[in-house]
Amino acid sequence: MCTALTLKSKDGFHFFGRNMDLEYSFNQSVILVPRKYQWENVISKKILPIKYAILGMGVIINDHPLLADGLNEKGLACAGLNFPHYCYHSPEPYPDKINIGPYDFILWILSNFETVEEVKAAVSQVNLVNIPFAPDVALSTLHWIVYDKQDQCIVIEQTKEKFCVFENKIGVLTNPPTFDWHIDNLKQYIHLSSKWVEGTTWYKQELNPDSCGLGLVGIPGDFYPPARFVRVAYLKSHATHLDNEMTTLAEFYHILNNVAMPGGAVIKPKSKEEFTLYTSCMALEKGVYYYSTYNNLQLNAIAFEKEDLDQEQLKSFEYLDSLSINNQN
């Protein structure tokens, strides 16, 4: 499971990222997809160009980048989150559609478009097809969140009933159920408050709070997708340390850390434990991909401006997963 977040600083910087919650490592690393790289659409067999360079976390198989999340050089960002039981893929290609495997949907979006508005105009042409990337690579069940520097955000879901593009004014996404269900579910929590609760008297007994935080009694604290959605939506809507780029970057991690899974907290069938493998945060204006890992809480940064975006070959960066400590004496 996973949680995605968007956040904007008061001086106009936009951030996007996610917790990747899994029970295993998938040999992930940050990948640079340069402008002159060409990729093969597994469904159509067509060789396609890259219009905009991409930085994203993923894995390279047969010189093909399979991205879990990323941003392009124009400041458009996208992430795929697990959407089991609801996700649907068409059984075959449609002749009048752009047929894409779900594993290439992020690559298609980020390599072609600058803004969410452009994605919305084009995505109705897409058919996500139930054909795996390779026989030994399982087909992911995903829905997607897309965000840009204009603070526009959408969620894309394909279920058996319909293909949906939702406006996402909350700027948060987790997992099942569908996005519109999560928005309706928030109505149960509109009473929550971060402010000090005043005391009262019942008959002759004075009742006074012992400490702050009483206004948050009832906020769900588990790791189920609806609970994570509510907590992150609440924390984002009440975030205060957003004065500038760096304070907002720190606030981004504080919010997602609130729903990060420590080892042993969530045990799946066959005793597999789910944990937060990494947390990404992308600075859309600066073109920087930040990430921390389960074992390395230090932020690692990879920037477009330090790379040759016109090369032809994919480039991957070492995944830094060993604890790094800043020794001050």
Side-chain angles (χ1 to χ4, degrees):
M1 299 298 180
C2 305
T3 306
L5 171 67
T6 70
L7 202 59
K8 179 184 177 182
S9 71
K10 293 178 182 178
D11 56 351
F13 289 94
H14 297 81
F15 294 89
F16 172 87
R18 60 97 61 79
N19 284 345
M20 172 61 84
D21 305 325
L22 274 177
E23 68 270 21
Y24 59 88
S25 169
F26 57 97
N27 296 320
Q28 69 281 352
S29 64
V30 178
I31 300 167
L32 171 66
V33 183
R35 298 179 192 131
K36 292 185 178 179
Y37 171 80
Q38 295 183 323
W39 63 285
E40 181 182 12
N41 183 328
V42 173
I43 309 301
S44 68
K45 305 303 180 183
K46 292 181 179 179
I47 303 299
L48 301 174
I50 297 292
K51 187 175 181 180
Y52 304 120
I54 301 166
L55 276 174
M57 189 72 77
V59 61
I60 299 173
I61 300 178
N62 298 331
D63 197 39
H64 189 109
L66 303 176
L67 298 174
D69 54 68
L71 79 162
N72 68 21
E73 60 181 294
K74 297 298 183 178
L76 182 69
C78 182
L81 280 69
N82 200 18
F83 192 49
H85 310 301
Y86 291 83
C87 175
Y88 176 78
H89 303 130
S90 300
E92 58 187 8
Y94 296 157
D96 59 339
K97 293 283 189 177
I98 299 172
N99 295 288
I100 301 174
Y103 38 82
D104 281 333
F105 197 36
I106 294 176
L107 180 63
W108 179 78
I109 288 173
L110 295 183
S111 66
N112 285 295
F113 306 109
E114 294 188 40
T115 67
V116 165
E117 285 299 321
E118 290 181 1
V119 176
K120 287 167 59 178
V123 77
S124 61
Q125 306 169 39
V126 171
N127 177 41
L128 298 171
V129 187
N130 189 29
I131 296 177
F133 175 77
D136 57 344
V137 179
L139 198 65
S140 299
T141 55
L142 302 172
H143 58 175
W144 295 267
I145 178 171
V146 189
Y147 185 57
D148 66 19
K149 294 185 295 186
Q150 288 72 44
D151 203 35
Q152 298 299 304
C153 185
I154 57 173
V155 169
I156 302 170
E157 295 178 349
Q158 181 168 292
T159 65
K160 193 170 185 178
E161 290 74 29
K162 56 185 175 179
F163 186 95
C164 290
V165 178
F166 297 103
E167 296 287 344
N168 186 352
K169 296 180 180 179
I170 297 290
V172 172
L173 187 63
T174 56
N175 309 106
T178 56
F179 178 73
D180 52 346
W181 184 97
H182 284 290
I183 297 300
D184 281 341
N185 186 54
L186 287 180
K187 297 173 185 177
Q188 297 186 73
Y189 301 95
I190 58 176
H191 63 281
L192 297 176
S193 174
S194 58
K195 295 181 180 180
W196 179 269
V197 175
E198 298 295 333
T200 186
T201 300
W202 288 5
Y203 190 49
K204 295 180 180 180
Q205 176 66 53
E206 290 187 2
L207 300 173
N208 294 296
D210 296 321
S211 62
C212 60
L214 185 60
L216 288 178
V217 170
I219 193 169
D222 56 79
F223 291 112
Y224 201 51
R228 286 184 280 111
F229 193 101
V230 171
R231 287 212 303 286
V232 172
Y234 175 86
L235 292 171
K236 176 183 174 177
S237 67
H238 290 77
T240 57
H241 293 220
L242 306 175
D243 292 330
N244 56 55
E245 179 187 9
M246 289 295 101
T247 60
T248 305
L249 175 61
E251 193 81 338
F252 190 98
Y253 272 86
H254 282 301
I255 293 172
L256 280 188
N257 285 344
N258 197 269
V259 294
M261 296 181 183
V266 178
I267 305 298
K268 301 182 73 173
K270 300 181 180 179
S271 298
K272 294 180 179 179
E273 64 173 22
E274 192 162 0
F275 61 97
T276 299
L277 188 63
Y278 69 84
T279 301
S280 63
C281 181
M282 304 163 220
L284 304 192
E285 279 77 16
K286 293 292 186 66
V288 180
Y289 188 102
Y290 297 95
Y291 75 97
S292 62
T293 75
Y294 190 86
N295 296 311
N296 182 15
L297 303 181
Q298 187 179 66
L299 293 191
N300 308 289
I302 299 169
F304 277 120
E305 67 178 9
K306 297 183 180 181
E307 298 298 322
D308 176 12
L309 303 185
D310 285 319
Q311 58 186 296
E312 296 181 1
Q313 300 300 317
L314 298 171
K315 179 179 179 179
S316 63
F317 299 83
E318 181 184 0
Y319 184 76
L320 302 177
D321 194 32
S322 297
L323 184 61
S324 179
I325 297 175
N326 179 30
N327 296 299
Q328 288 193 272
N329 62 7

